[in-house]
Amino acid sequence: MTVKWILHWTPTPGSVVNSQILSEISQCVESFVNAVKDGRWKATLTFYRPNLRDQSIPSEFPRDFLGISLLEQPNKYYFIIRGNKIILEADSTILTIMEKLQSYKSKVALNFEGVQYKMGDFQMKVVKVVPNQGESLRGILIEIEYLPISSIEKAKPIMEEFLEVWREVMSKKSLPGHFTQTEPHFADYKLPDNYTSQHTAIQYAAALAQLIQSAQLRG
Amino acid sequence: MIHPGFHCHKSEAHKSPKKKSEAQSHLTPAGAGPLCRHRAAAVCLFPAPCVSSRRPSSLPLSLPSCVSRDLISSQLSHLAFLVRVISTTTPPSPCTLSLCCPVASEVRLLCDLEQAEPSWTVRHIGGAMRGAGAEQISVLVRTMVESKASKNVLRMFYLLGYKLDHELLRVGFSFHFSRGAQITVTVSSINKMLKLHATDEAVPVTPGIQLVEVTAPATAETYAEVASAVSFFCEYLAPLLHLSKPGISTGVVPTAAAAAASLMSDGGGTTL
């Protein structure tokens, strides 16, 4: 699998995320030479809470337990406990097992809905973050993928170069914000240098955590 | 999926691979016959009450409800207890912080040790089918769901609050038959590990005695037909084994070699 970087939109203080900014970002991508729209993409992230008899009493069970499904891996599901830096990849039937066990219940689900663009050796997705049951825009992400390489370390200088070009394109729009990459700390999760869907799941979880933190600070 | 049986084994190779078995490791290449070795560790978990690790007092530990038609002798009753203990349930508990698992069920983590890289499966086995219909059929029907998982699955379950109930090492053979249903017969020795996860230091729970299990997958629509096929197959084994619904001790267990030889023959003494 080829290397992806996921960046989240950080609005400048006093500004908000809205569909106008999403549209401007999409236009930036489309302005790239050879950029071709290549279909839609979706992922879902679900926060789980322990099924306790008394929810008001704090417990030793993890509160940052979440699950992710990715469109490109329809038969897989990924569980992450961010505080413990652990990711589990399982068949999607693990959801049936968790439902039967009833020890954890779904608390909140968010959808990542993206439009994919192909541009030579790169692919980009412009992703909006929306609630599973709703349309309000909670955040914007972009995903940059470099197709020829699957080594994270080897792809790093090339991705940084692309990112510089991207930032230059974005600067011409003078939008109230910028894209930030959250360091995913793959080594903490004991993941190898070869990129996999587990790396993607961790990045989306990290990006969302940053979006939530930024929203809380602004709020 | 409803299984008239239980304990579908790892490391199975068979003539007509089906999806579940293909997900499991194979020792022998396809076409080499239905006989396949397996060596797998099973870890049974239960959710951790905040205060105590005692098993709920309302839980009968030697219950038969989780087995299919099995060869059980009085010597194996202790083994049956070890292998089939229900490990997740929610009795009334004074602890307000315990996880709620209202349905009696069993969650197991299976590690296939025969492969170069051990592979893990999470298996959930539901409560037995009950009611007049269940009493009339001669096999046990339980739901079973499996999911392959990455190797850190045990650590994940610990972090989610689950505790290790017990672990066992099963070593033996699996046979596959297509006789009205896809029937799997496993002949295993069940071994306990004297130290945690020490598979090299396992000792048999019942030396010289193997556990024989007959299982077959089914759906809600086909379970009656599959149950009938399993019953009929068990009758076919009658000259060698006496099988009955769990809880009834029947017959004496022959050696695994004799059982394997009988299963490989066509019933008339001819080796297939």
Side-chain angles (χ1 to χ4, degrees):
Chain A
M1 184 167 284
T2 50
V3 179
K4 299 179 185 182
W5 279 17
I6 290 136
L7 293 86
H8 62 276
W9 178 256
T10 304
T12 51
S15 65
V16 294
V17 169
N18 56 38
S19 53
Q20 176 63 29
I21 294 176
L22 179 67
S23 174
E24 300 276 1
I25 292 167
S26 299
Q27 287 173 21
C28 287
V29 176
E30 287 163 8
S31 69
F32 267 77
V33 176
N34 298 330
V36 175
K37 213 180 247 189
D38 189 41
R40 298 199 168 265
W41 174 86
K42 188 177 172 182
T44 301
L45 186 149
T46 305
F47 289 96
Y48 294 94
R49 60 170 173 80
N51 188 11
L52 302 174
R53 294 180 197 278
D54 188 341
Q55 294 287 342
S56 63
I57 300 176
S59 72
E60 71 273 27
F61 303 116
R63 294 286 185 177
D64 56 349
F65 175 44
L66 52 93
I68 298 180
S69 64
L70 301 171
L71 183 69
E72 58 267 36
Q73 296 286 352
N75 298 319
K76 295 288 182 188
Y77 198 76
Y78 302 88
F79 282 123
I80 298 173
I81 301 177
R82 293 195 69 240
N84 296 98
K85 297 287 186 283
I86 183 171
I87 178 167
L88 177 77
E89 178 178 302
D91 292 345
S92 50
T93 47
I94 195 74
L95 286 171
T96 306
I97 292 174
M98 295 303 284
E99 274 175 48
K100 287 180 179 291
L101 290 173
Q102 295 185 35
S103 49
Y104 285 83
K105 296 227 179 238
S106 167
K107 186 170 70 174
V108 169
L110 293 162
N111 287 339
F112 300 105
E113 297 175 0
V115 178
Q116 185 162 289
Y117 298 87
K118 279 196 168 168
M119 42 192 74
D121 284 343
F122 288 88
Q123 275 183 176
M124 280 187 81
K125 291 187 182 82
V126 178
V127 180
K128 62 180 182 180
V129 184
V130 294
N132 194 34
Q133 308 283 343
E135 292 289 330
S136 59
L137 185 63
R138 300 296 177 87
I140 300 170
L141 310 173
I142 55 162
E143 181 190 290
I144 303 169
E145 184 177 1
Y146 183 55
L147 299 174
I149 290 179
S150 57
S151 160
I152 295 168
E153 275 308 304
K154 287 182 182 161
K156 193 173 177 183
I158 302 165
M159 297 288 263
E160 282 172 346
E161 202 177 311
F162 182 91
L163 204 52
E164 282 305 312
V165 173
W166 167 248
R167 287 197 166 114
E168 205 177 304
V169 170
M170 284 287 297
S171 64
K172 293 173 184 166
K173 286 276 184 178
S174 302
L175 295 175
H178 59 276
F179 277 104
T180 316
Q181 187 191 18
T182 307
E183 179 58 48
H185 299 292
F186 294 133
D188 292 348
Y189 287 86
K190 298 184 176 45
L191 292 184
D193 181 60
N194 252 23
Y195 195 86
T196 65
S197 293
Q198 292 188 40
H199 295 80
T200 301
I202 287 168
Q203 287 198 78
Y204 275 100
L208 186 66
Q210 275 300 310
L211 282 175
I212 292 169
Q213 192 177 16
S214 304
Q216 285 171 345
L217 286 172
R218 288 199 307 275
Chain B
M1 178 177 288
I2 298 174
H3 280 244
F6 158 88
H7 283 194
C8 289
H9 252 292
K10 308 299 297 177
S11 303
E12 295 165 354
H14 47 89
K15 293 174 186 172
S16 307
K18 58 181 180 190
K19 187 181 177 181
K20 186 155 76 87
S21 293
E22 285 172 357
Q24 300 168 357
S25 66
H26 292 244
L27 256 197
T28 55
L35 179 63
C36 183
R37 280 178 52 198
H38 60 253
R39 186 165 174 266
V43 174
C44 289
L45 304 171
F46 64 89
C50 64
V51 172
S52 168
S53 61
R54 291 192 308 271
R55 290 196 180 88
S57 59
S58 62
L59 179 64
L61 295 176
S62 57
L63 83 169
S65 63
C66 51
V67 303
S68 64
R69 292 173 70 103
D70 269 327
L71 182 64
I72 300 177
S73 71
S74 57
Q75 292 161 308
L76 279 176
S77 60
H78 179 61
L79 168 65
F81 153 69
L82 283 174
V83 172
R84 299 180 184 85
V85 61
I86 296 291
S87 54
T88 63
T89 189
T90 305
S93 167
C95 173
T96 59
L97 297 183
S98 60
L99 287 171
C100 300
C101 289
V103 179
S105 61
E106 203 172 314
V107 63
R108 297 181 171 211
L109 304 185
L110 307 178
C111 180
D112 187 342
L113 301 171
E114 280 293 348
Q115 298 202 59
E117 186 66 33
S119 61
W120 288 83
T121 303
V122 182
R123 177 183 288 170
H124 179 272
I125 300 170
M129 190 177 87
R130 296 184 190 279
E135 286 169 18
Q136 282 170 17
I137 57 176
S138 56
V139 298
L140 192 76
V141 180
R142 299 183 75 178
T143 56
M144 189 182 89
V145 184
E146 281 189 342
S147 170
K148 289 281 188 191
S150 47
K151 62 184 178 183
N152 53 2
V153 62
L154 181 59
R155 183 173 165 239
M156 175 64 86
F157 270 86
Y158 282 155
L159 290 170
L160 293 176
Y162 284 79
K163 297 283 190 275
L164 178 71
D165 184 274
H166 64 274
E167 60 175 357
L168 296 167
L169 177 71
R170 301 170 67 115
V171 183
F173 296 88
S174 300
F175 305 83
H176 296 269
F177 300 87
S178 183
R179 291 176 185 258
Q182 296 301 318
I183 296 172
T184 300
V185 181
T186 57
V187 182
S188 317
S189 72
I190 308 297
N191 305 272
K192 60 185 177 187
M193 287 166 268
L194 302 176
K195 292 181 207 167
L196 190 63
H197 307 326
T199 55
D200 292 337
E201 298 174 33
V203 295
V205 174
T206 53
I209 298 173
Q210 282 78 41
L211 178 68
V212 178
E213 296 168 287
V214 180
T215 61
T219 64
E221 290 78 32
T222 64
Y223 80 88
E225 176 189 318
V226 173
S228 174
V230 170
S231 292
F232 186 77
F233 186 78
C234 292
E235 294 301 324
Y236 164 70
L237 295 177
L240 183 65
L241 306 169
H242 294 288
L243 298 166
S244 65
K245 207 165 183 177
I248 302 170
S249 181
T250 56
V252 176
V253 184
T255 63
S262 176
L263 288 168
M264 290 293 284
S265 74
D266 62 358
T270 307
T271 301
L272 294 173

